[in-house]
Amino acid sequence: MKIYTKAGDGGKTSLFGGKKVSKSELRIAAYGTVDELNSAVGACRSCGIEGRLDAFLERVQSDLFRVGAELASGEGASPGNLTPVGGADVSFIESEIDRLDADLEPLRNFILPGGTQAASAAHIARSICRRAERTVVEHSEKETVRGDIVVYLNRLSDALFVAARWINAAAGTPERTWKS
C-alpha cells in the first residue's frame, strides 16, 4: 500500500463520516495542532524520562489520538467506537500534577523555559498544547465542540509545565527565573 493517495492534492481532506472540507478550516487546524502536540510529547518521551512520568505521557499520547479523532469527525459523525476524553481523563491528569508538584519547591517567580533536554521538550509541548487549546476554542465558536476537550487541553498544559519543572528538579538542574 502506498503512503501517498493524492486525494488531498486539491486542498481538500475528508473527515470521519466522509464529508470533504478545505484544509484551511479551523477544524483541520485544531486537530492538526493536536497532532503536533502529540509529536512534541513523543519527543519529550524520547529524551529518556522517569518510568511513571513516561507511562503518564504515553497515556496522554493515546488520549490525544482520541481528541484528534473527535475533532476530525463531521457534525453527527462518530470516530468509530473510541471513548471521548472526559472527566475521568481530566482527573487522571490532575492526580499526576499533584504527584509531581508534591516534590517541587513552591513557584514564587516566573521561570524561563529550559533546563535539561527533556524539560525543554516538555516546555515546547506545553506551548503547543496552549496553541491547540486556543485553536479548539476558536473552532468551538463556529461549530459545536464538547467542552471536555477544552478542559482536557487546559489541564494537560498545566501538567506539561509541572512535568518540565519536575524533570529539571529530578536532574538537579536549577530553574532560571525571569528578571523583568
Side-chain angles (χ1 to χ4, degrees), residues 104-142:
L104 299 174
E105 292 294 322
L107 194 59
R108 292 185 173 85
N109 299 294
F110 288 108
I111 60 167
L112 299 175
T116 67
Q117 190 172 17
S120 297
H123 278 297
I124 290 169
R126 173 195 48 80
S127 63
I128 294 169
C129 190
R130 289 285 192 210
R131 181 162 32 93
E133 179 186 7
R134 291 189 305 270
T135 306
V136 168
V137 167
E138 185 179 6
H139 170 57
S140 75
E141 293 170 355
K142 296 184 178 5

Side-chain angles (χ1 to χ4, degrees), residues 64-149:
L64 290 173
F65 268 109
R66 294 188 295 150
V67 169
E70 185 173 347
L71 291 170
S73 298
E75 292 282 337
S78 171
N81 58 357
L82 296 175
T83 304
V85 297
D89 302 297
V90 171
S91 293
F92 178 71
I93 291 173
E94 289 171 347
S95 68
E96 188 65 10
I97 291 171
D98 293 343
R99 180 185 79 84
L100 296 172
D101 199 42
D103 293 339
L104 299 174
E105 292 294 322
L107 194 59
R108 292 185 173 85
N109 299 294
F110 288 108
I111 60 167
L112 299 175
T116 67
Q117 190 172 17
S120 297
H123 278 297
I124 290 169
R126 173 195 48 80
S127 63
I128 294 169
C129 190
R130 289 285 192 210
R131 181 162 32 93
E133 179 186 7
R134 291 189 305 270
T135 306
V136 168
V137 167
E138 185 179 6
H139 170 57
S140 75
E141 293 170 355
K142 296 184 178 5
E143 292 188 43
T144 302
V145 174
R146 280 184 330 101
D148 285 344
I149 292 176

Side-chain angles (χ1 to χ4, degrees), residues 29-45 57 60-65 67-68 71 93 121-134 136 149-150 152-161:
Y31 73 71
T33 308
V34 169
D35 183 41
E36 183 183 352
L37 168 59
N38 204 336
S39 296
V41 171
C44 179
R45 291 183 62 217
L57 293 178
V60 163
Q61 286 190 285
S62 187
D63 290 349
L64 290 173
F65 268 109
V67 169
L71 291 170
I93 291 173
H123 278 297
I124 290 169
R126 173 195 48 80
S127 63
I128 294 169
C129 190
R130 289 285 192 210
R131 181 162 32 93
E133 179 186 7
R134 291 189 305 270
V136 168
I149 292 176
V150 175
Y152 181 88
L153 292 171
N154 184 274
R155 209 66 83 252
L156 179 57
S157 64
D158 294 337
L160 291 166
F161 175 76

Side-chain angles (χ1 to χ4, degrees), residues 47-64:
C47 293
I49 54 178
E50 178 264 341
R52 184 167 169 186
L53 180 56
D54 184 59
F56 167 74
L57 293 178
E58 182 176 13
R59 175 172 167 178
V60 163
Q61 286 190 285
S62 187
D63 290 349
L64 290 173

